[in-house]
Every structure is written in structure tokens, then in C-alpha cells.
Amino acid sequence: MGMNSIDNMISIYKRVLDVSSMRNRVIAENIANAQTPGYSALKVDFDKYMKNTNNLGKIDMVRTSRNHISQSKQNSGIEIEKSGLRPRADGNNVDQDLEITKMAENTIVYKTAVELLSRKFKMLKMTIEEGGK
Amino acid sequence: MDFTTFDISASALSAQKVRMDVIAANLANINTTRTREGGPYRRQDVIFKSVAKGNFSNHLNSAMGVDVVKITRDQGPAKMVNDPSHPDADKNGYVAMPNISLMSEMANMMLATRSYEANAEAISSAKSMYLRALDIGR
């Protein structure tokens, strides 16, 4: 197993941490504004960010302006889009129960990435320590 | 590491607390016919507004929490109830009562409570996530 593949794995786990951390914040915003009239729910597309190999190594978080109806494409960075759900009478379109569920799932994704990253480092450490013997 | 998420959820906790206070006042005064301003108690309500919280260095990056921008007082007509025996009845036997529906206030109270719980859970989740990250490499 070459250093390159270890680097790649660590880099991938790090990106998972970045995007799920940002996703957590966006979900928290939606939950906080679940009853604010006129508020438009946002979402972070996890898969889109992970599949976009252009942003390997980059960790900019760029946010589209809330006034844009269409989502502007960013070449790097985590894209925050409107959720596109149907608004209720007061203009709010947050589904509080859906957001709570998304947050639970996101927490598990984050913690899994932490665990796997941690194990990778432990393995590296063990290799280095044992190798000297 | 971005801790804005705590500011956002905390703002919602405060806002829902204010809303609970207002609902509590409405429920307590559901039969109040005499106020300092004269006349029956007027129902209060809160108006929520999205407000930017956290880091302002890049305005596109500001995350939206929530604040109570205004506590409104019902300006509509009072509820006239026929009760000639009431000390505040007018010459026709009608009393001007607060225009407050118990069911409506209870429904709002449940909304406020659930929202408070959801936001408290969000804080707890974020905290456990970030604390777990400290274990990387340990």
C-alpha cells in the first residue's frame, strides 16, 4: 500500500468531514427558521461535492446568494442550494421532522468519517512504530 | 472549525422562549377585563425574522438564525360576551372579553415546545460531533 493511496483516503475522509460539517450547519439553520415567515429552506448536496474531483485539496466554502433563484455552479467548494420544497401559507417551506432526520443521518456520516480517519492514522502510527523494531 | 451552528440554534432557543412567554401571558389573561390601558387584555403575538448570525467577514457566508423582531398586540375588536352579572358588563349586559382562543394558544404552545426541542437536539448533535472529532488520531 503506497503512501499515495493512504493520502487519498485521508483526503477523502477529510472532505466528508468538511461537507457533512457544512451540511450540519445548513440543517441547523433550517431547524432554527422552521417557523419564520417567508424563509426558504436550504440544502447541501453531499454526493455532488464528493463526486466533483475538481475540488480535491480545496476546502473553500462558497455560498450562493440567497436572492438567486437559480443555483450558480461553483467549480470548487460546497454548494448550498434551495431545497425546492413547496411553501406553506406563510411562505415557509421547512419540514422540521425531515430536517431532524437529516441531521441524525448526517451526524452518523460525520462520526463514521471520524472513526475511519482515526483508524487510518492509528494504522500509520503502528506501521511507523513497529517498523522500527 | 466553524461554530456558527451553535449561534444559530441558540438564537432559535431564545426566540421560542420569548414565544412561550407571550403564550403564557395570553393564557394567564384569557379572562382579564381590566388592564392598565383600559379595556380587556389584548392578545399578544410574536413576529419571527431570519437574522444573520456568526462570522460577517464574508457576507455570502453568513448563516441565518432567527430573532423576534416584534411583539404585536391584537388591534381587532374585542369579543363581546353576554353576561349581565359581570361587574364590567355594559348597559346592554355585554362584557368585552379578550379575543383569545384556548385551543389556538395550546396549539402554538406545542409548536413552540417542539421547535425548542428540535433546536436543543441540534445543539447536542453538533456538540457530540465536534467532540468526537477530537478523538482523531488519539
Side-chain angles (χ1 to χ4, degrees):
Chain A
M1 182 167 53
M3 270 309 282
N4 222 10
S5 75
I6 294 175
D7 265 347
N8 280 344
M9 287 309 291
I10 289 176
S11 161
I12 288 172
Y13 292 144
K14 188 186 178 312
R15 284 164 61 208
V16 170
L17 289 181
D18 286 337
V19 69
S20 64
S21 173
M22 188 53 159
R23 188 160 188 250
N24 187 269
R25 197 189 90 175
V26 168
I27 295 172
E29 287 184 65
N30 288 340
I31 291 175
N33 286 284
Q35 292 163 14
T36 308
Y39 177 84
S40 193
L42 300 173
K43 66 174 180 186
V44 170
D45 193 326
F46 189 92
D47 293 325
K48 215 184 273 185
Y49 177 74
M50 291 309 294
K51 283 187 181 135
N52 186 353
T53 53
N54 286 345
N55 51 36
L56 261 173
K58 291 185 187 164
I59 51 169
D60 323 318
M61 291 185 215
V62 184
R63 185 183 186 123
T64 63
S65 165
R66 282 171 179 273
N67 294 325
H68 292 171
I69 295 170
S70 61
Q71 307 122 22
S72 61
K73 286 288 169 199
Q74 310 289 337
N75 285 327
S76 66
I78 299 166
E79 203 175 304
I80 300 174
E81 316 163 294
K82 287 190 180 283
S83 73
L85 294 174
R86 189 173 310 140
R88 297 182 293 275
D90 63 350
N92 187 298
N93 68 344
V94 176
D95 182 342
Q96 190 171 274
D97 297 313
L98 180 66
E99 297 298 323
I100 292 173
T101 311
K102 282 184 351 190
M103 181 169 267
E105 175 202 334
N106 190 61
T107 305
I108 292 172
V109 167
Y110 185 95
K111 288 185 175 176
T112 304
V114 164
E115 179 65 28
L116 294 174
L117 193 56
S118 202
R119 287 189 196 175
K120 263 279 174 287
F121 280 128
K122 278 199 190 114
M123 232 166 62
L124 263 179
K125 201 171 126 180
M126 198 171 73
T127 310
I128 293 168
E129 284 171 351
E130 300 298 315
K133 291 190 182 150
Chain B
M1 183 165 283
D2 178 22
F3 293 116
T4 313
T5 182
F6 294 119
D7 294 328
I8 295 161
S9 299
S11 74
L13 291 182
S14 297
Q16 295 299 341
K17 252 305 184 47
V18 172
R19 191 183 192 189
M20 278 304 298
D21 288 343
V22 162
I23 292 169
N26 288 342
L27 286 175
N29 287 288
I30 203 164
N31 287 320
T32 300
T33 50
R34 298 179 198 180
T35 57
R36 213 175 358 186
E37 305 81 40
Y41 175 85
R42 297 226 158 247
R43 180 180 180 268
Q44 289 181 298
D45 202 355
V46 292
I47 297 180
F48 289 145
K49 184 172 177 242
S50 300
V51 170
K53 298 281 174 192
N55 193 352
F56 294 119
S57 63
N58 176 359
H59 79 277
L60 282 178
N61 245 350
S62 63
M64 301 307 269
V66 64
D67 270 353
V68 173
V69 291
K70 201 162 181 236
I71 298 178
T72 62
R73 273 205 180 273
D74 184 27
Q75 298 299 321
K79 192 168 67 176
M80 300 306 280
V81 175
N82 188 359
D83 187 5
S85 63
H86 196 287
D88 292 321
D90 61 16
K91 58 178 171 8
N92 297 322
Y94 281 88
V95 189
M97 295 291 274
N99 194 3
I100 297 174
S101 153
L102 181 67
M103 285 298 114
S104 190
E105 297 304 315
M106 295 298 283
N108 282 340
M109 188 161 79
M110 299 187 80
L111 279 177
T113 305
R114 284 215 65 233
S115 177
Y116 191 93
E117 284 168 1
N119 283 287
E121 179 62 34
I123 288 181
S124 180
S125 248
K127 188 175 94 169
S128 79
M129 268 169 57
Y130 292 150
L131 281 178
R132 186 67 68 89
L134 291 177
D135 289 336
I136 294 175
R138 192 172 284 181

